[in-house]
Amino acid sequence: MDIAIDSNTLFGFWPKRKVDISLNKLLEIMAKHKVERFLSLSTTGIFYDCEEGNEETLRMSKNYPQIIPMATVDPRKYFGKETLVKELSEKGFKAIRLFPDLQNWPLDYEPFFNIVEEAEKISLPLIISVVSLGGITEIAKITTGHEIPIVIANVNYNQFSEALAVAKNHKNILLETSLFDTPDAYEIFVRELGAERLVFGSYSPVHYFSASLLPLERAEISNEEKQLITKENIERLLKCK
């Protein structure tokens, strides 16, 4: 099956292990699997300097129109410039991607709260990866009373119960599927939550694209539900067609 939008990719360098996540590698993977468009960002913004990384992301998205640019903000270096998120949106970024898992900052963190409030003012989605148990619950508590759309990325097997419980009670939260590694993961979430709350992602090139795609292909859910997951939900979130 073809993927209209991959909601979780990146490019640049990866200090965690030896792996090629260059832009050329990402473009090769996306072309091989006939992915039409993909949210992406430069890892320079994660591991070195977010301003420099965001500029690189924006520059590459202009060179390669299949890239939908995400910005990243490092709360450890965020000094409360109240117009920052608005400025990123005006430059063309379609979402803010946050990495507490890679940058080792806590969710119970005032700079993070400020980013949430800024993003809500302009309805810019936040995509955030959380690896620890309880993290998704914390995000739900922090955003209770807010209408900002939140995508929880890289939800793994150990978090499935928590993710499902949280998403049922918090309609602003969607789940990204790069670590849904069996067909029944899709089947359970679609049955219990609804396909409209899932967005396809691969976490390429860090993660093998096929490991994300094959479970979806084999899941016993309707083609209409697969269309929601691979295209319509993320288009609605990003307000793009």
Side-chain angles (χ1 to χ4, degrees), residues 183-201:
D184 66 313
Y186 281 97
E187 294 160 8
I188 291 169
F189 276 90
V190 168
R191 183 182 70 241
E192 299 294 330
L193 191 62
E196 67 276 6
R197 303 290 296 284
L198 304 177
V199 295
F200 176 84

Side-chain angles (χ1 to χ4, degrees), residues 1-39:
M1 66 182 291
D2 293 340
I3 302 297
I5 299 179
D6 187 330
S7 65
N8 189 11
T9 75
L10 38 73
F11 62 88
F13 65 97
W14 193 252
K16 301 295 183 179
R17 70 175 193 270
K18 187 175 181 180
V19 59
D20 181 3
I21 67 161
S22 65
L23 178 59
N24 286 339
K25 184 65 175 180
L26 175 61
L27 294 170
E28 175 189 320
I29 293 168
M30 296 294 108
K32 176 182 177 181
H33 293 281
K34 300 180 181 178
V35 179
E36 296 174 18
R37 292 179 291 170
F38 42 99
L39 279 160

Side-chain angles (χ1 to χ4, degrees), residues 221-228:
I221 60 176
S222 70
N223 289 334
E224 290 77 13
E225 288 165 332
K226 291 179 180 180
Q227 177 83 351
L228 285 169

Side-chain angles (χ1 to χ4, degrees), residues 136 152-157 159-160 163 175-176 178-180 189:
I136 301 173
I152 307 297
N154 305 99
V155 178
N156 63 54
Y157 176 80
Q159 296 171 302
F160 281 1
L175 307 173
E176 181 269 331
S178 58
L179 299 184
F180 283 27
F189 276 90

Side-chain angles (χ1 to χ4, degrees), residues 1-4 6 29 32-35 177-183 186 200-202 204 207-219 226 230:
M1 66 182 291
D2 293 340
I3 302 297
D6 187 330
I29 293 168
K32 176 182 177 181
H33 293 281
K34 300 180 181 178
V35 179
T177 67
S178 58
L179 299 184
F180 283 27
D181 56 1
T182 61
Y186 281 97
F200 176 84
S202 69
S204 294
H207 189 250
Y208 288 113
F209 188 93
S210 294
S212 302
L213 177 62
L214 289 177
L216 177 58
E217 288 183 327
R218 295 171 180 172
K226 291 179 180 180
T230 61

